[in-house]
Short mmCIF file of all heavy atoms in Angstrom, two decimals:
data_model
loop_
_atom_site.label_atom_id
_atom_site.label_comp_id
_atom_site.label_asym_id
_atom_site.label_seq_id
_atom_site.Cartn_x
_atom_site.Cartn_y
_atom_site.Cartn_z
N VAL A 1 147.18 75.25 63.46
CA VAL A 1 147.77 76.48 63.97
C VAL A 1 147.84 77.46 62.81
O VAL A 1 148.55 77.23 61.82
CB VAL A 1 149.18 76.23 64.54
CG1 VAL A 1 149.83 77.55 64.96
CG2 VAL A 1 149.12 75.26 65.71
N TRP A 2 147.07 78.56 62.91
CA TRP A 2 147.07 79.58 61.87
C TRP A 2 148.00 80.72 62.29
O TRP A 2 147.90 81.21 63.42
CB TRP A 2 145.66 80.14 61.67
CG TRP A 2 144.68 79.17 61.07
CD1 TRP A 2 143.90 78.27 61.73
CD2 TRP A 2 144.38 79.02 59.68
NE1 TRP A 2 143.11 77.57 60.85
CE2 TRP A 2 143.39 78.00 59.59
CE3 TRP A 2 144.83 79.64 58.52
CZ2 TRP A 2 142.85 77.61 58.36
CZ3 TRP A 2 144.31 79.24 57.30
CH2 TRP A 2 143.33 78.23 57.22
N VAL A 3 148.87 81.14 61.39
CA VAL A 3 149.81 82.23 61.69
C VAL A 3 149.83 83.23 60.54
O VAL A 3 149.60 82.86 59.39
CB VAL A 3 151.24 81.69 61.93
CG1 VAL A 3 151.27 80.78 63.15
CG2 VAL A 3 151.76 80.97 60.70
N PRO A 4 150.12 84.51 60.84
CA PRO A 4 150.31 85.47 59.76
C PRO A 4 151.47 85.04 58.87
O PRO A 4 152.52 84.61 59.36
CB PRO A 4 150.64 86.78 60.50
CG PRO A 4 150.06 86.59 61.87
CD PRO A 4 150.22 85.13 62.17
N ARG A 5 151.29 85.15 57.58
CA ARG A 5 152.31 84.70 56.64
C ARG A 5 153.65 85.39 56.88
O ARG A 5 154.71 84.78 56.73
CB ARG A 5 151.83 84.96 55.20
CG ARG A 5 152.72 84.37 54.11
CD ARG A 5 152.13 84.63 52.74
NE ARG A 5 150.83 84.00 52.57
CZ ARG A 5 150.67 82.75 52.16
NH1 ARG A 5 151.71 81.98 51.90
NH2 ARG A 5 149.45 82.25 52.01
N ARG A 6 153.60 86.65 57.28
CA ARG A 6 154.85 87.40 57.47
C ARG A 6 155.52 87.11 58.82
O ARG A 6 156.63 87.58 59.06
CB ARG A 6 154.59 88.90 57.34
CG ARG A 6 153.64 89.48 58.36
CD ARG A 6 153.36 90.95 58.10
NE ARG A 6 152.45 91.53 59.08
CZ ARG A 6 151.13 91.44 59.00
NH1 ARG A 6 150.55 90.78 58.00
NH2 ARG A 6 150.36 92.02 59.92
N ARG A 7 154.84 86.32 59.69
CA ARG A 7 155.44 86.00 60.98
C ARG A 7 155.34 84.49 61.26
O ARG A 7 155.01 84.06 62.36
CB ARG A 7 154.76 86.78 62.11
CG ARG A 7 155.12 88.27 62.12
CD ARG A 7 154.75 88.92 63.46
NE ARG A 7 153.34 88.76 63.75
CZ ARG A 7 152.39 89.57 63.28
NH1 ARG A 7 152.73 90.59 62.51
NH2 ARG A 7 151.13 89.39 63.59
N MET A 8 155.64 83.69 60.25
CA MET A 8 155.60 82.25 60.41
C MET A 8 156.72 81.79 61.35
O MET A 8 157.76 82.43 61.44
CB MET A 8 155.75 81.56 59.04
CG MET A 8 154.57 81.79 58.12
SD MET A 8 154.82 81.06 56.47
CE MET A 8 154.99 79.32 56.88
N PHE A 9 156.47 80.69 62.05
CA PHE A 9 157.50 80.11 62.90
C PHE A 9 157.51 78.59 62.69
O PHE A 9 156.57 78.02 62.14
CB PHE A 9 157.29 80.46 64.38
CG PHE A 9 155.93 80.09 64.93
CD1 PHE A 9 155.64 78.79 65.34
CD2 PHE A 9 154.93 81.07 65.05
CE1 PHE A 9 154.40 78.45 65.85
CE2 PHE A 9 153.68 80.73 65.57
CZ PHE A 9 153.42 79.43 65.97
N GLU A 10 158.58 77.95 63.12
CA GLU A 10 158.70 76.51 62.93
C GLU A 10 157.75 75.78 63.87
O GLU A 10 157.72 76.04 65.07
CB GLU A 10 160.14 76.06 63.20
CG GLU A 10 160.36 74.58 62.90
CD GLU A 10 161.80 74.15 63.08
OE1 GLU A 10 162.60 74.98 63.55
OE2 GLU A 10 162.11 72.99 62.75
N TYR A 11 156.98 74.89 63.30
CA TYR A 11 156.03 74.11 64.10
C TYR A 11 156.06 72.66 63.62
O TYR A 11 155.86 72.39 62.43
CB TYR A 11 154.61 74.66 63.97
CG TYR A 11 153.57 73.73 64.55
CD1 TYR A 11 153.39 73.63 65.92
CD2 TYR A 11 152.81 72.91 63.72
CE1 TYR A 11 152.47 72.74 66.45
CE2 TYR A 11 151.88 72.03 64.24
CZ TYR A 11 151.72 71.94 65.61
OH TYR A 11 150.81 71.05 66.14
N ARG A 12 156.34 71.76 64.54
CA ARG A 12 156.34 70.33 64.22
C ARG A 12 155.37 69.56 65.11
O ARG A 12 154.78 68.58 64.69
CB ARG A 12 157.75 69.75 64.38
CG ARG A 12 158.78 70.29 63.37
CD ARG A 12 160.18 70.02 63.85
NE ARG A 12 160.43 70.70 65.12
CZ ARG A 12 161.58 70.61 65.80
NH1 ARG A 12 162.55 69.85 65.35
NH2 ARG A 12 161.73 71.28 66.93
N HIS A 13 155.25 70.01 66.37
CA HIS A 13 154.35 69.35 67.31
C HIS A 13 154.00 70.33 68.42
O HIS A 13 154.55 71.43 68.51
CB HIS A 13 155.00 68.08 67.87
CG HIS A 13 154.01 67.13 68.47
ND1 HIS A 13 152.76 66.91 67.93
CD2 HIS A 13 154.07 66.33 69.57
CE1 HIS A 13 152.11 66.02 68.66
NE2 HIS A 13 152.87 65.65 69.67
N TRP A 14 153.10 69.93 69.28
CA TRP A 14 152.54 70.81 70.30
C TRP A 14 153.58 71.58 71.12
O TRP A 14 153.37 72.78 71.37
CB TRP A 14 151.65 70.02 71.24
CG TRP A 14 150.55 69.26 70.57
CD1 TRP A 14 150.04 69.48 69.31
CD2 TRP A 14 149.83 68.15 71.11
NE1 TRP A 14 149.04 68.57 69.04
CE2 TRP A 14 148.88 67.74 70.12
CE3 TRP A 14 149.87 67.47 72.32
CZ2 TRP A 14 148.00 66.69 70.33
CZ3 TRP A 14 148.99 66.42 72.54
CH2 TRP A 14 148.07 66.03 71.55
N PRO A 15 154.68 70.97 71.55
CA PRO A 15 155.64 71.72 72.38
C PRO A 15 156.22 72.95 71.70
O PRO A 15 156.69 73.88 72.38
CB PRO A 15 156.74 70.69 72.68
CG PRO A 15 156.02 69.37 72.63
CD PRO A 15 155.04 69.52 71.50
N ASP A 16 156.16 73.01 70.37
CA ASP A 16 156.66 74.20 69.66
C ASP A 16 155.80 75.43 69.93
O ASP A 16 156.21 76.56 69.60
CB ASP A 16 156.72 73.93 68.16
CG ASP A 16 157.75 72.88 67.80
OD1 ASP A 16 158.80 72.83 68.48
OD2 ASP A 16 157.51 72.11 66.85
N LEU A 17 154.63 75.24 70.52
CA LEU A 17 153.74 76.37 70.84
C LEU A 17 154.00 76.94 72.23
O LEU A 17 153.46 78.00 72.57
CB LEU A 17 152.28 75.92 70.74
CG LEU A 17 151.81 75.37 69.38
CD1 LEU A 17 150.37 74.89 69.47
CD2 LEU A 17 151.96 76.43 68.29
N GLU A 18 154.80 76.25 73.02
CA GLU A 18 155.10 76.74 74.37
C GLU A 18 155.84 78.07 74.30
O GLU A 18 156.72 78.27 73.45
CB GLU A 18 155.92 75.71 75.14
CG GLU A 18 155.15 74.43 75.44
CD GLU A 18 155.92 73.49 76.36
OE1 GLU A 18 156.34 73.94 77.44
OE2 GLU A 18 156.11 72.31 75.98
N GLY A 19 155.46 78.99 75.20
CA GLY A 19 156.09 80.30 75.24
C GLY A 19 155.48 81.28 74.25
O GLY A 19 155.90 82.45 74.21
N LYS A 20 154.50 80.85 73.47
CA LYS A 20 153.83 81.73 72.51
C LYS A 20 152.39 81.97 72.97
O LYS A 20 151.82 81.18 73.71
CB LYS A 20 153.85 81.11 71.11
CG LYS A 20 155.26 80.85 70.57
CD LYS A 20 155.20 80.32 69.16
CE LYS A 20 156.60 79.95 68.64
NZ LYS A 20 157.50 81.12 68.64
N GLN A 21 151.83 83.07 72.51
CA GLN A 21 150.45 83.43 72.86
C GLN A 21 149.51 83.03 71.74
O GLN A 21 149.68 83.46 70.59
CB GLN A 21 150.34 84.93 73.10
CG GLN A 21 148.93 85.44 73.34
CD GLN A 21 148.38 85.07 74.71
OE1 GLN A 21 148.89 85.52 75.72
NE2 GLN A 21 147.33 84.24 74.73
N GLY A 22 148.53 82.20 72.06
CA GLY A 22 147.54 81.80 71.07
C GLY A 22 146.16 82.31 71.41
O GLY A 22 145.94 82.92 72.47
N SER A 23 145.20 82.04 70.52
CA SER A 23 143.81 82.45 70.77
C SER A 23 142.87 81.53 70.01
O SER A 23 143.20 81.00 68.94
CB SER A 23 143.59 83.90 70.32
OG SER A 23 142.24 84.30 70.56
N THR A 24 141.69 81.32 70.58
CA THR A 24 140.63 80.56 69.94
C THR A 24 139.30 80.94 70.60
O THR A 24 139.27 81.80 71.49
CB THR A 24 140.88 79.05 70.03
OG1 THR A 24 139.97 78.37 69.15
CG2 THR A 24 140.70 78.52 71.45
N LEU A 25 138.22 80.30 70.19
CA LEU A 25 136.92 80.59 70.77
C LEU A 25 136.83 80.10 72.21
O LEU A 25 137.42 79.07 72.57
CB LEU A 25 135.81 79.93 69.95
CG LEU A 25 135.60 80.46 68.52
CD1 LEU A 25 134.58 79.60 67.80
CD2 LEU A 25 135.13 81.91 68.55
N ILE A 26 136.08 80.82 73.03
CA ILE A 26 135.85 80.42 74.41
C ILE A 26 135.23 79.02 74.44
O ILE A 26 134.30 78.71 73.69
CB ILE A 26 134.92 81.42 75.12
CG1 ILE A 26 135.56 82.80 75.20
CG2 ILE A 26 134.56 80.94 76.52
CD1 ILE A 26 134.61 83.87 75.70
N ASP A 27 135.76 78.17 75.32
CA ASP A 27 135.26 76.81 75.54
C ASP A 27 135.38 75.91 74.31
O ASP A 27 134.69 74.89 74.20
CB ASP A 27 133.79 76.82 76.00
CG ASP A 27 133.66 77.23 77.46
OD1 ASP A 27 134.69 77.40 78.12
OD2 ASP A 27 132.51 77.37 77.92
N ASN A 28 136.27 76.26 73.38
CA ASN A 28 136.52 75.37 72.25
C ASN A 28 137.33 74.17 72.70
O ASN A 28 138.18 74.29 73.59
CB ASN A 28 137.27 76.10 71.13
CG ASN A 28 136.57 75.99 69.79
OD1 ASN A 28 135.48 75.45 69.69
ND2 ASN A 28 137.18 76.51 68.75
N SER A 29 137.08 73.03 72.09
CA SER A 29 137.82 71.81 72.40
C SER A 29 138.42 71.26 71.13
O SER A 29 137.82 71.33 70.05
CB SER A 29 136.90 70.77 73.03
OG SER A 29 137.54 69.52 73.12
N PHE A 30 139.61 70.68 71.25
CA PHE A 30 140.28 70.11 70.08
C PHE A 30 140.74 68.68 70.35
O PHE A 30 141.75 68.22 69.83
CB PHE A 30 141.46 70.99 69.66
CG PHE A 30 141.07 72.41 69.39
CD1 PHE A 30 141.48 73.44 70.21
CD2 PHE A 30 140.23 72.72 68.33
CE1 PHE A 30 141.10 74.75 69.96
CE2 PHE A 30 139.84 74.02 68.07
CZ PHE A 30 140.28 75.04 68.89
N GLY A 31 140.01 67.98 71.19
CA GLY A 31 140.35 66.61 71.54
C GLY A 31 140.96 66.55 72.93
O GLY A 31 141.65 67.46 73.37
N GLU A 32 140.69 65.46 73.64
CA GLU A 32 141.11 65.33 75.04
C GLU A 32 142.61 65.48 75.22
O GLU A 32 143.08 66.14 76.14
CB GLU A 32 140.66 63.96 75.58
CG GLU A 32 139.17 63.84 75.81
CD GLU A 32 138.69 64.68 76.99
OE1 GLU A 32 139.46 64.88 77.95
OE2 GLU A 32 137.54 65.14 76.95
N ARG A 33 143.40 64.85 74.35
CA ARG A 33 144.85 64.88 74.53
C ARG A 33 145.39 66.29 74.36
O ARG A 33 146.19 66.77 75.18
CB ARG A 33 145.53 63.92 73.55
CG ARG A 33 145.29 62.45 73.85
CD ARG A 33 145.99 61.53 72.86
NE ARG A 33 147.43 61.74 72.86
CZ ARG A 33 148.13 62.14 71.80
NH1 ARG A 33 147.52 62.41 70.65
NH2 ARG A 33 149.43 62.28 71.88
N PHE A 34 144.97 66.97 73.29
CA PHE A 34 145.48 68.33 73.09
C PHE A 34 144.96 69.27 74.17
O PHE A 34 145.70 70.12 74.67
CB PHE A 34 145.11 68.87 71.71
CG PHE A 34 145.64 70.26 71.48
CD1 PHE A 34 146.96 70.47 71.11
CD2 PHE A 34 144.82 71.37 71.67
CE1 PHE A 34 147.46 71.75 70.93
CE2 PHE A 34 145.31 72.65 71.49
CZ PHE A 34 146.63 72.84 71.12
N ASP A 35 143.69 69.14 74.54
CA ASP A 35 143.12 70.02 75.57
C ASP A 35 143.91 69.88 76.87
O ASP A 35 144.18 70.87 77.56
CB ASP A 35 141.66 69.67 75.82
CG ASP A 35 140.74 70.08 74.67
OD1 ASP A 35 141.21 70.79 73.76
OD2 ASP A 35 139.57 69.66 74.67
#
């Protein structure tokens, strides 16, 4: 998870990303469990 240095947030595991807006390449995969 890449974040701007001036807007870092606490991240320990996947649920910490809920409620936030992310972005990546179209049709990118990061493993079955995370997908």
